[in-house]
């Protein structure tokens, strides 16, 4: 048995250590809180409505800015990029003022990422972000009267995976369900126009690898690890590949499209290029398909600059204000 004085001394040291540990925990918590605060950008212009829920998932939220007008205004639906793995609606805060100054309202959305899709066992996982984008578009239309929105003149924009989502909406047949008990689902998912930056246009590795032999993007959309695995299971997932590849839905009734790409000059079909995931070759091939089908398209890359409409914002303002 320990002497009384030693037992008391031991207890004192223990309490001091615990106190120090608790104090450190509180300091660490404050550091985390500060880091989290820094990760939440604040828009330069306060939204008319912030973090509005458009669906059942916590990620189903949007910010909305209403342009000043006596008449219903056009609207741009902004879908952030990040490979469907990361990103948030703040990615488009910097473009809000330009649209508002042109009399165009804006909505920027969050949507379920691959992490949420996989946790919820959504099959295939890409169904979550794409159907969330469709739901967000329907929700905006359902708020047309309250938000002074022209239901017909709604355009979409996005970069990379957000661009892929925008193109999927632009080309897909209307997903409205007129008989639904949910008034939001009764709204149309068709767009007036779309303009995208560095967008993927197909999730079919046979197509993308023919264009760009070193292409590697997209297997995660189907819950797989590589495009080789996609090819191995091709027969099993053929309907998924078709359903979630924007280019497979192109038809003559599709809206005007703006395709904007960076990358190095001189890119050619069939060559391995740096950053194949956002290569202008993707835009070149989609533009060919659109022109063949009779869909109005504007294309821009470092090889083929578009002087009239040099960026997606200019394209959207031009077409939404017509």
């Amino acid at each position: 048995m320990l002497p009384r004085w030693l037992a008391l001394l031991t207890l004192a040291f223990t309490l001091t250590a615990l106190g120090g540990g608790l104090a450190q925990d509180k300091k660490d918590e404050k550091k985390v809180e500060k880091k989290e605060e820094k990760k939440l950008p604040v828009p330069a212009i306060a939204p008319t409505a912030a973090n509005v829920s458009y669906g059942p998932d916590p990620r189903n939220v949007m910010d909305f800015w209403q342009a000043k007008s006596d008449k219903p205004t056009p609207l741009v639906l902004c879908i952030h990029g990040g490979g469907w793995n990361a990103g948030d609606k703040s990615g488009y805060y910097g473009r809000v003022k330009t649209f508002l100054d042109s009399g165009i309202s804006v909505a920027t959305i969050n949507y379920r990422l691959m992490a949420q899709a996989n946790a919820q066992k959504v099959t295939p996982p890409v169904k979550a972000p794409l159907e969330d984008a469709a739901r967000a578009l329907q929700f905006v239309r359902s708020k047309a009267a309250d938000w002074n929105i022209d239901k017909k003149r709604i355009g979409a924009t996005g970069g990379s995976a957000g661009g892929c989502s925008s193109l999927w909406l632009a080309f897909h047949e209307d997903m409205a369900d007129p008989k639904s008990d949910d008034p939001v689902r009764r709204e149309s998912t068709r767009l007036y126009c779309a303009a995208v930056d560095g967008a993927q246009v197909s999730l079919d590795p046979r197509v993308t690898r023919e264009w760009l032999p070193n292409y590697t993007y997209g297997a995660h959309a189907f819950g797989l690890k590589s495009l080789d695995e996609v090819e191995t299971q091709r027969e099993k997932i053929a309907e998924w590949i078709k359903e979630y590849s924007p280019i497979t839905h192109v038809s003559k009734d599709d809206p005007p499209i703006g395709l904007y790409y960076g990358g190095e000059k001189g890119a050619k079909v069939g060559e391995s290029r740096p950053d194949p995931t956002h290569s202008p070759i993707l835009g070149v091939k989609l533009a060919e398909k659109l022109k063949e089908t009779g869909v109005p398209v504007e294309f821009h890359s470092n090889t083929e600059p578009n002087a009239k409409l040099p960026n997606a914002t200019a394209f959207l303002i031009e077409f939404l204000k017509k």
Side-chain angles (χ1 to χ4, degrees), residues 53-67:
S53 175
Y54 67 83
D57 193 87
R59 287 278 305 179
N60 295 157
V61 292
M62 67 170 64
D63 294 336
F64 168 72
W65 289 261
Q66 184 175 337

Side-chain angles (χ1 to χ4, degrees), residues 125-142:
V126 71
K127 183 177 180 180
L130 292 185
E131 291 195 354
D132 282 0
R135 171 80 184 186
L137 174 57
Q138 291 174 305
F139 179 83
V140 167
R141 281 201 165 100
S142 75

Side-chain angles (χ1 to χ4, degrees), residues 128-168:
L130 292 185
E131 291 195 354
D132 282 0
R135 171 80 184 186
L137 174 57
Q138 291 174 305
F139 179 83
V140 167
R141 281 201 165 100
S142 75
K143 298 288 286 183
D146 294 336
W147 288 355
N148 197 32
I149 299 300
D150 182 341
K151 281 190 177 185
K152 292 183 179 180
R153 289 188 296 161
I154 297 179
T157 190
S160 191
C164 186
S165 298
S166 299
L167 293 175
W168 185 76

Side-chain angles (χ1 to χ4, degrees), residues 222 234-245:
F222 308 119
R234 185 178 188 85
E235 186 174 341
K236 178 182 176 182
I237 65 172
E239 287 303 312
W240 292 351
I241 294 172
K242 181 180 179 182
E243 170 61 18
Y244 298 108
S245 293

Side-chain angles (χ1 to χ4, degrees), residues 242-307:
K242 181 180 179 182
E243 170 61 18
Y244 298 108
S245 293
I247 197 169
T248 64
H249 295 285
V250 170
S251 58
K252 62 182 180 181
D253 63 342
D254 290 335
I257 301 295
L259 301 172
Y260 293 86
Y261 292 83
E264 61 182 343
K265 293 182 179 179
K268 296 179 181 179
V269 175
E271 294 180 351
S272 293
R273 313 300 297 185
D275 191 18
T277 303
H278 309 99
S279 171
I281 294 301
L282 301 173
V284 167
K285 297 307 292 184
L286 177 56
E288 287 179 2
K289 179 72 177 285
L290 294 173
K291 289 174 183 177
E292 290 170 2
T293 310
V295 178
V297 59
E298 294 285 343
F299 178 77
H300 170 93
S301 73
N302 288 333
T303 304
E304 302 176 54
N306 189 318

Side-chain angles (χ1 to χ4, degrees), residues 135 138-139 141-143 151 176-188:
R135 171 80 184 186
Q138 291 174 305
F139 179 83
R141 281 201 165 100
S142 75
K143 298 288 286 183
K151 281 190 177 185
D177 181 0
K179 297 181 180 179
S180 176
D181 293 334
D182 180 356
V184 174
R185 292 191 63 191
R186 296 198 290 265
E187 298 287 348
S188 173

